[in-house]
């Protein structure tokens, strides 16, 4: 067997695991890997401006194509800069592998330059964090890293490589190697039977589709089951896109922030919830006594320790979401349990038709729901959206429509500011071979925009076109809203001069384009301009929309106590 550099073997492993793009920043301790990437070839590399940006790019890449994203950094602060991205991926079940260089082995206990124990630091925010201590183990540790990242509930792995180990020569033949198998998590048949019993016994059942449905590529099975049993479907924020929101059985999102009026109303009238791939996050449930109520719950999750974590369900099923939905449909068909139109579906459709929220505002300053009305009308169902944390996350969950899986990407649990720009780059690169002309749109806030704004340089340097839509209230809007019960408005106003920071000029400084909008009548023209400009320049383009400064989103402590700031729209 041929003897080759250990890092050349690592690059061969990465390629065979489906990695065609990596995001990173070279440094002295990781140069052996970069030398191997140059020699072996086959992996496009984008040099980021901050290692956190690399992790979010790898995250966006993985969310879009279902593969394992790769971020690379050197020793010391490179690894610590990656922690936020690792936490984000762990929270949202996204498989990424972060690779860090490390000081030479002999310096690890001598306070060597940039010698930090990144493995111990990363353990709480990874599925596995490991340091390679022998060069011969490198390809096998990488194989296991990809298996761990993909298996069960997906998530991130960190691999740390001391520079002396990275320089090793090993025996390795890529022609004799392949990815390790990932075991399927199949449901226990009696529990599937019991789940169907409970579903059929209910008078007002709902299916709740979480992010696990999208991760498992189970949207088709979800729709088929819902249509066969004629059961309304809700989604969590992470599950947006699991079912077409114009589908006759879609009945919204329940929650104390990202929710619809009709979603909460439907949920409160339900008597059974079949939750598939959902973790019952606190901003979804609100007060548990209200959420739990008297209704029954069936909780299906691939991770056994998720079941019963928030509250005890009436039935727990450990299973991959797709395999469970397939099994449940099979059992239902064996029993010929298909249902025709029923009173409950009619009731849910009535709630959806009568409990909406207004979007047709034409006032200046602009009201945020109007922005989402324009977004829904300008962009088609195949557009890929990324969005993060703030009032705009809540407005997006309430007003923006999603039609297909993986088209609405959101960092749900961790909520790091600045995620959108690097994530959009990762999404666009994930589509380079399958949908090179697909539109990618990032929806950002004015504050979070500046957290990772330096990654605009990556979009410009590597010709990565996407549209950024900024919802700008010149405030830390979500924190201002959260401050209301404290009767304060302290240190959340970031306005100065006419518009505060000139975000259009920031775009221009990075070689990109931007336009500011202050009148709702101009939103559509600006969005259409941005789409054309992104294609023409092959770079990021910004539409900055100035909205009312102290706008509030509907929110509350419980799903039956959401405070609304506008009346129900008049029925046409």
């Amino acid at each position: 067997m041929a003897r080759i550099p250990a890092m050349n073997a690592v690059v061969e492993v990465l390629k065979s695991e489906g990695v065609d793009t990596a995001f990173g920043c070279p440094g002295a301790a990781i140069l052996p890997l970069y030398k191997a990437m140059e020699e072996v070839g086959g992996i496009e590399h984008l040099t980021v401006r901050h290692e956190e940006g690399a992790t979010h790019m790898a995250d966006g890449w993985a969310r879009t194509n279902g593969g394992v994203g790769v971020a690379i950094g050197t020793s010391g602060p490179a690894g610590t800069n990656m922690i936020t991205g690792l936490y984000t991926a762990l929270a949202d079940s996204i498989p990424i592998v972060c690779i860090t260089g490390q000081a030479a082995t002999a310096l690890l206990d001598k306070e060597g330059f940039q010698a930090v124990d990144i493995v111990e630091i990363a353990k709480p925010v990874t599925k596995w964090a490991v340091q390679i201590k022998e060069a011969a183990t490198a390809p096998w540790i990488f194989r296991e890293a990809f298996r761990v990242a993909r298996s069960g509930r997906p998530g991130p792995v960190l691999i740390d490589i001391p520079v002396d180990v990275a320089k090793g020569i090993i025996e390795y033949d890529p022609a004799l190697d392949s990815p390790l198998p990932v075991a399927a998590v199949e449901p226990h048949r009696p529990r599937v039977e019991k789940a169907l019993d409970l579903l059929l016994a209910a008078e007002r059942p709902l299916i709740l589709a979480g992010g696990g449905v999208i991760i498992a590529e189970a949207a088709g099975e979800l729709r088929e089951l819902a249509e066969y049993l004629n059961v309304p479907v809700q989604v969590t924020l992470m599950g947006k896109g699991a079912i077409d929101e114009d589908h006759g059985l879609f009945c919204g999102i329940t929650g104390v922030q990202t929710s619809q009026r009709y979603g909460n109303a439907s949920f409160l009238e339900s008597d059974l919830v079949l939750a598939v791939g959902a973790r019952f996050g606190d901003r979804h449930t609100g007060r548990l006594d209200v959420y739990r109520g008297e209704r029954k719950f069936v909780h299906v999750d691939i991770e056994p320790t998720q079941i019963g974590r928030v509250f005890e369900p009436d039935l727990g099923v450990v299973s991959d979401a797709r395999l469970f939905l397939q099994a449940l449909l099979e059992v239902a068909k064996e029993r010929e349990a298909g249902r025709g139109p029923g009173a409950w579906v009619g009731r849910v459709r009535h709630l959806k038709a009568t409990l909406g929220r207004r979007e047709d505002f034409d006032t200046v300053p602009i009201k945020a729901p109007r922005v989402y009305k324009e977004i829904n009308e300008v962009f088609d169902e195949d557009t890929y959206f990324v969005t993060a944390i703030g009032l705009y996350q809540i407005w997006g969950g309430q007003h923006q429509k999603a039609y297909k899986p993986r088209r609405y990407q959101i960092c749900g649990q961790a909520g790091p500011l600045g995620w959108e720009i690097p994530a959009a780059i990762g999404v666009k690169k994930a589509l380079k071979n399958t949908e090179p002309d697909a539109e990618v749109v990032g929806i950002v806030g004015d504050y979070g925009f500046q957290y990772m704004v330096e990654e605009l340089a990556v979009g410009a340097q590597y010709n990565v076109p996407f549209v950024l839509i900024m919802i700008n209230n010149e405030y830390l809007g979500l924190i201002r809203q959260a401050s209301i019960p404290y009767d304060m408005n302290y240190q959340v106003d970031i306005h100065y001069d006419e518009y505060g920071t000139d975000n259009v000029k920031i775009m221009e400084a990075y070689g990109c384009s931007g336009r500011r909008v202050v009148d709702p009548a101009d939103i559509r023209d600006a969005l259409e301009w941005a789409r054309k400009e992104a294609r023409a320049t092959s770079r990021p383009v910004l539409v900055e929309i100035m909205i009312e400064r102290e706008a509030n989103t509907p929110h509350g402590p419980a799903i039956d106590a959401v405070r609304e700031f506008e009346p129900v729209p008049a029925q046409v």
Side-chain angles (χ1 to χ4, degrees):
M1 190 177 294
R3 291 184 64 78
I4 64 173
M7 294 301 98
N8 287 41
V10 165
V11 174
E12 296 286 4
V13 169
L14 295 177
K15 290 167 58 179
S16 74
E17 294 283 356
V19 177
D20 61 10
T21 310
F23 310 92
C25 180
I30 197 65
L31 287 181
L33 177 59
Y34 276 85
K35 178 62 175 176
M37 292 174 66
E38 180 185 44
E39 287 185 351
V40 177
I43 298 177
E44 181 183 7
H45 180 274
L46 277 66
T47 299
V48 301
R49 279 24 179 200
H50 191 289
E51 292 88 357
E52 182 184 340
T55 62
H56 296 328
M57 290 179 200
D59 180 338
W61 187 95
R63 290 178 196 243
T64 303
N65 64 17
V68 180
V70 171
I72 306 172
T74 189
S75 56
T80 57
N81 283 343
M82 289 178 162
I83 295 301
T84 297
L86 288 165
Y87 165 41
T88 304
L90 183 72
D92 288 350
S93 307
I94 306 303
I96 67 173
V97 171
C98 287
I99 308 168
T100 54
Q102 181 58 275
T105 305
L107 295 175
L108 296 183
D109 65 345
K110 295 180 173 60
E111 296 188 5
F113 178 68
Q114 293 190 339
V116 66
D117 193 346
I118 192 62
V119 168
E120 288 300 317
I121 293 171
K123 280 182 178 179
V125 290
T126 56
K127 290 185 71 178
W128 187 37
V130 61
Q131 185 178 89
I132 299 178
K133 299 184 184 301
E134 302 290 342
T137 66
W140 317 116
I141 285 177
F142 270 84
R143 285 295 185 203
E144 177 65 358
F146 277 82
R147 188 196 68 78
V148 169
R150 288 191 179 105
S151 59
R153 181 183 178 182
V157 172
L158 179 133
I159 302 175
D160 190 45
I161 315 174
V163 66
D164 54 318
V165 175
K167 294 176 180 178
I169 304 296
I170 66 172
E171 290 188 358
Y172 181 78
D173 184 350
L176 302 177
D177 196 13
S178 65
L180 299 176
V182 175
V185 182
E186 299 183 0
H188 186 46
R189 172 77 180 217
R191 288 187 176 265
V192 177
E193 298 268 7
K194 181 62 175 178
L196 184 61
D197 291 341
L198 291 169
L199 196 60
L200 296 178
E203 294 182 3
R204 299 177 303 280
L206 288 176
I207 298 174
L208 175 65
V213 171
I214 292 174
I215 291 169
E217 305 288 359
E221 287 77 7
L222 171 71
R223 184 180 63 253
E224 187 177 359
L225 176 70
E227 290 174 348
Y228 183 74
L229 294 177
N230 205 34
V231 176
V233 178
Q234 291 199 354
V235 297
T236 66
L237 184 62
M238 295 298 297
K240 276 180 76 75
I243 187 170
D244 183 340
E245 294 190 19
D246 286 337
H247 192 286
L249 290 174
F250 176 73
C251 61
I253 298 178
T254 290
V256 294
Q257 290 187 345
T258 51
S259 62
Q260 285 86 35
R261 275 184 167 117
Y262 65 85
N264 282 352
S266 300
F267 191 94
L268 287 166
E269 291 190 18
S270 70
D271 61 0
L272 178 133
V273 176
L274 169 60
V276 183
R279 60 180 179 82
F280 300 120
D282 56 294
R283 294 189 176 189
H284 165 67
T285 64
R287 279 179 43 192
L288 285 175
D289 60 334
V290 176
Y291 184 86
R292 188 72 174 83
E294 298 299 321
R295 61 191 60 83
K296 295 183 182 297
F297 282 85
V298 178
H299 188 192
V300 182
D301 203 284
I302 198 168
E303 171 53 52
T305 62
Q306 285 293 104
I307 296 173
R309 174 175 287 187
V310 179
F311 60 83
E312 184 179 10
D314 296 272
L315 177 68
V317 184
V318 177
S319 177
D320 169 88
R322 185 177 186 182
L323 295 178
F324 170 80
L325 292 169
Q326 288 175 342
L328 189 62
L329 181 62
E330 179 183 339
V331 173
K333 287 183 174 179
E334 288 174 3
R335 297 189 192 178
E336 298 182 349
R339 294 173 169 175
W344 171 232
V345 171
R347 172 60 177 165
V348 166
R349 288 176 178 170
H350 173 75
L351 292 172
K352 185 175 181 180
T354 57
L355 291 179
R357 289 194 178 106
R358 187 181 171 192
E359 297 175 342
D360 61 345
F361 301 99
D362 57 7
T363 53
V364 177
I366 297 167
K367 288 184 177 289
R370 172 63 184 270
V371 179
Y372 287 93
K373 177 179 184 294
E374 301 290 347
I375 289 170
N376 286 332
E377 293 176 359
V378 168
F379 296 98
D380 65 26
E381 62 185 16
D382 290 317
T383 304
Y384 288 81
F385 287 93
V386 299
T387 191
I389 182 70
L391 289 182
Y392 62 99
Q393 180 191 74
I394 302 172
W395 280 313
Q398 293 172 345
H399 295 280
Q400 189 174 349
K401 288 187 176 182
Y403 306 93
K404 295 180 179 180
R406 301 190 186 276
R407 301 309 198 282
Y408 189 88
Q409 309 285 20
I410 187 161
C411 52
Q413 198 243 55
L417 289 166
W419 182 82
E420 301 96 337
I421 292 174
I425 292 171
V427 169
K428 187 64 178 175
K429 296 308 294 185
L431 299 168
K432 66 181 180 182
N433 296 323
T434 56
E435 300 177 66
D437 297 324
E439 287 189 287
V440 176
V441 179
I443 301 179
V444 303
D446 53 299
Y447 189 59
F449 170 76
Q450 296 187 51
Y451 266 62
M452 300 246 78
V453 69
E454 74 283 344
E455 304 310 322
L456 285 171
V458 179
Q461 178 181 353
Y462 294 98
N463 297 312
V464 185
F466 56 93
V467 173
L468 285 171
I469 302 171
M470 179 186 291
I471 314 295
N472 190 349
N473 57 8
E474 302 174 272
Y475 252 112
L476 309 188
L478 183 59
I479 308 308
R480 179 200 56 76
Q481 179 173 283
S483 300
I484 293 173
Y486 295 90
D487 190 26
M488 71 178 191
N489 190 346
Y490 180 67
Q491 293 299 314
V492 290
D493 188 343
I494 57 174
H495 168 81
Y496 60 93
D497 297 335
E498 184 178 7
Y499 293 114
T501 302
D502 193 330
N503 296 299
V504 172
K505 286 185 178 179
I506 288 176
M507 295 296 294
E508 292 170 352
Y510 281 105
C512 303
S513 308
R515 182 179 290 186
R516 182 177 297 114
V517 176
V518 298
D519 190 310
D522 297 329
I523 296 174
R524 184 161 306 197
D525 284 346
L527 295 180
E528 294 290 6
W529 165 80
R531 299 173 74 191
K532 294 175 183 176
E533 185 75 0
R535 287 193 292 268
T537 63
S538 197
R539 289 185 175 184
V541 178
L542 172 71
V543 175
E544 178 185 33
I545 302 175
M546 309 303 296
I547 68 165
E548 56 182 341
R549 300 203 59 229
E550 294 192 359
N552 293 308
T553 61
H555 64 280
I559 61 174
D560 66 348
V562 171
R563 181 184 178 189
E564 299 283 346
F565 294 89
E566 296 286 346
V568 175
Q571 300 303 305
V572 178

